[in-house]
């Protein structure tokens, strides 16, 4: 059946909507667990949820129709990230950004994030960071794109020299701008079966104004791997989600790292596992969690918070 992608705009006071959203995010069907995972985003004026609507409309009962935006089933129209900034919401898709007002959600502006159309899935955008008059886009294998916030015009871009072999490729999937630095986290997309090497996985630090590389930090690939890592800041900590695991990096320690080892790995949340993307604020993770140890075949998912 037709897949519809929805952006559900929810006020912070309506926690019961998130309860329902989480409860329906996993279900047991024909002997398998089916996921309609959601991603939660916290703004200054609203909280937001991005998710899939399948079949009869999975999330239609969560909020009023006046507060719901629907997008086409095209993979390019899958919302990838969302930021709220100065009374506007910026919704990132694979190759474009929509700007809407945060009161009536009217479309104000839409612009492409690349000069040429995407030809493969690895070029797709993953995250945005907004600061002053610029939008910084983590754009997959295209690496970094910088756009003018008012016009959407591409004003700068950079592919970072991070590979030990020219044939390897990595995607930039997470980005954070803080104290005149751009923090970027990469995942590998190539593997050499001859010498058994993986492309770059790790973090790159660059100057915010010049985009000049300041530090390249490889992950210890013999110990662990990243998977389409995100990157957000909570106070003095950067946190990166990899599937159901959240890695924490102390900002004041990052420049001293020889390899990208997190200060903490969070995966057991009071005997629960993370489902989808949570909101993180003041060292509290709020989102959908699944019971780790359940005798029931039917997945039990609840909306809850975990302080770390």
């Amino acid at each position: 059946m037709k897949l519809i992608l929805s952006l559900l705009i929810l006020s912070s006071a309506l926690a019961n909507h998130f309860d329902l959203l989480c409860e329906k995010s996993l279900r047991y069907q024909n002997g398998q667990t089916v996921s309609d995972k959601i991603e939660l985003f916290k703004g200054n004026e609203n909280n937001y949820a991005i998710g899939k609507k399948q079949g009869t409309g999975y999330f239609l009962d969560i909020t009023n129709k006046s507060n719901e935006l629907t997008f086409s089933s095209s993979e390019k129209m899958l919302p990838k990230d969302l930021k709220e900034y100065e009374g506007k919401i910026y919704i990132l898709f694979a190759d474009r950004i929509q700007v809407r007002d945060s009161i009536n959600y009217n479309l104000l502006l839409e612009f492409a994030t690349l000069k040429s159309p995407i030809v493969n899935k690895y070029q797709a955008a993953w995250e945005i960071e907004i600061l002053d008059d610029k939008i910084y886009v983590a754009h997959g294998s295209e690496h970094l794109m910088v756009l003018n916030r008012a016009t959407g015009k591409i004003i700068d871009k950079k592919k970072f020299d991070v590979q030990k072999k020219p044939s390897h490729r990595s995607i930039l999937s997470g980005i954070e701008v803080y104290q005149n630095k751009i923090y970027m986290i990469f995942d590998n997309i190539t593997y050499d079966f001859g010498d058994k090497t993986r492309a770059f996985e790790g973090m790159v630090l660059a100057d915010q104004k010049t985009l000049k590389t300041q530090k390249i930090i490889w992950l210890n690939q013999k110990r662990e791997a990243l998977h389409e890592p995100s990157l957000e800041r909570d106070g003095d900590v950067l946190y990166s989600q990899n599937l159901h695991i959240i890695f924490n990096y102390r900002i004041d320690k990052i420049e001293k790292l020889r390899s990208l080892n997190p200060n903490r790995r969070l995966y057991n949340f009071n005997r629960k596992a993370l489902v989808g993307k949570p909101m993180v604020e003041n060292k509290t993770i709020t989102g959908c969690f699944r019971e780790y140890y359940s005798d029931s075949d039917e997945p039990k998912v609840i909306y809850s918070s975990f302080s770390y």
Side-chain angles (χ1 to χ4, degrees), residues 183-202:
Y183 296 84
M184 294 164 284
I185 195 161
F186 289 74
D187 190 11
N188 70 305
I189 56 174
T190 57
Y191 178 83
D192 190 316
F193 288 92
D195 59 14
K196 298 181 179 180
T197 59
R198 304 203 309 253
F200 174 69
E201 290 172 283

Side-chain angles (χ1 to χ4, degrees), residues 20-271:
L20 291 171
L21 199 62
C22 292
E23 181 182 331
K24 295 181 178 181
S25 63
L26 288 181
R27 64 190 185 278
Y28 200 67
Q29 183 176 303
N30 299 326
Q32 292 185 331
T33 299
V34 180
S35 173
D36 286 305
K37 73 175 185 177
I38 62 167
E39 299 187 351
L40 304 182
F41 301 88
K42 191 171 186 66
N44 296 322
E45 301 178 26
N46 299 294
N47 290 337
Y48 302 86
I50 291 175
K52 295 179 181 178
K53 298 177 69 175
Q54 201 166 18
T56 58
Y58 210 53
F59 299 147
L60 276 179
D61 61 341
I62 301 303
T63 189
N64 295 330
K65 266 191 173 293
S66 61
N67 285 350
E68 182 179 80
L69 300 174
T70 60
F71 304 100
S72 76
S73 58
S74 167
E75 183 67 22
K76 287 188 177 181
M77 292 305 293
L78 168 66
K80 304 293 286 289
D81 195 13
L82 183 151
K83 290 290 188 298
E84 193 182 84
Y85 194 86
E86 294 187 350
K88 299 174 183 177
I89 52 175
Y90 295 76
I91 307 168
L92 175 69
F93 300 89
D95 63 352
R96 66 190 57 251
I97 291 173
Q98 283 189 1
V99 185
R100 294 177 178 267
D101 75 81
S102 60
I103 299 176
N104 299 312
Y105 319 117
N106 295 323
L107 181 63
L108 303 175
L109 188 65
E110 181 171 331
F111 45 81
T113 51
L114 291 177
K115 291 184 177 180
S116 303
I118 285 177
V119 295
N120 66 68
K121 65 180 182 179
Y122 299 116
Q123 292 177 289
W126 286 87
E127 281 189 359
I128 55 174
E129 186 65 21
I130 303 173
L131 186 65
D132 298 329
D133 61 343
K134 295 178 181 178
I135 302 175
Y136 300 83
V137 186
H139 223 304
S141 59
E142 297 298 312
H143 294 186
L144 178 63
M145 306 297 294
V146 185
L147 283 64
N148 180 286
R149 183 168 65 90
T151 65
K153 181 181 179 181
I154 297 170
I155 56 177
D156 212 341
K157 61 181 181 178
K158 184 165 183 177
K159 280 193 174 182
F160 293 89
D161 184 12
V162 293
Q163 306 298 348
K164 294 179 179 177
K165 293 183 62 176
S167 59
H168 274 317
R169 296 289 182 271
S170 299
I171 60 168
L172 171 56
S173 59
I175 187 166
E176 178 67 36
V177 181
Y178 182 61
Q179 292 185 341
N180 302 318
K181 284 184 172 52
I182 307 173
Y183 296 84
M184 294 164 284
I185 195 161
F186 289 74
D187 190 11
N188 70 305
I189 56 174
T190 57
Y191 178 83
D192 190 316
F193 288 92
D195 59 14
K196 298 181 179 180
T197 59
R198 304 203 309 253
F200 174 69
E201 290 172 283
M203 189 177 292
V204 173
L205 278 59
D207 182 88
Q208 179 191 339
K209 294 182 179 180
T210 65
L211 308 188
K212 183 179 179 180
T213 302
Q214 296 179 335
K215 190 175 180 67
I216 298 173
I217 313 170
W218 278 74
L219 181 79
N220 186 343
Q221 294 177 316
K222 294 181 179 180
R223 293 184 55 189
E224 56 193 348
L226 301 176
H227 181 78
E228 300 170 356
S230 62
L231 201 61
E232 300 283 349
R233 184 177 66 87
D234 181 27
D236 60 353
V237 174
L238 294 181
Y239 67 92
S240 174
Q241 184 173 356
N242 295 265
L243 299 174
H244 64 286
I245 303 173
I246 291 180
F247 292 170
N248 284 10
Y249 305 96
R250 282 271 305 275
I251 293 175
D252 61 348
K253 303 287 187 183
I254 289 176
E255 291 191 60
K256 301 174 185 177
L257 292 176
R258 298 181 65 181
S259 61
L260 191 63
N261 296 317
N263 296 100
R264 296 187 67 180
R265 298 170 180 85
L266 303 174
Y267 54 90
N268 188 337
F269 304 90
N270 291 334
R271 297 171 66 86

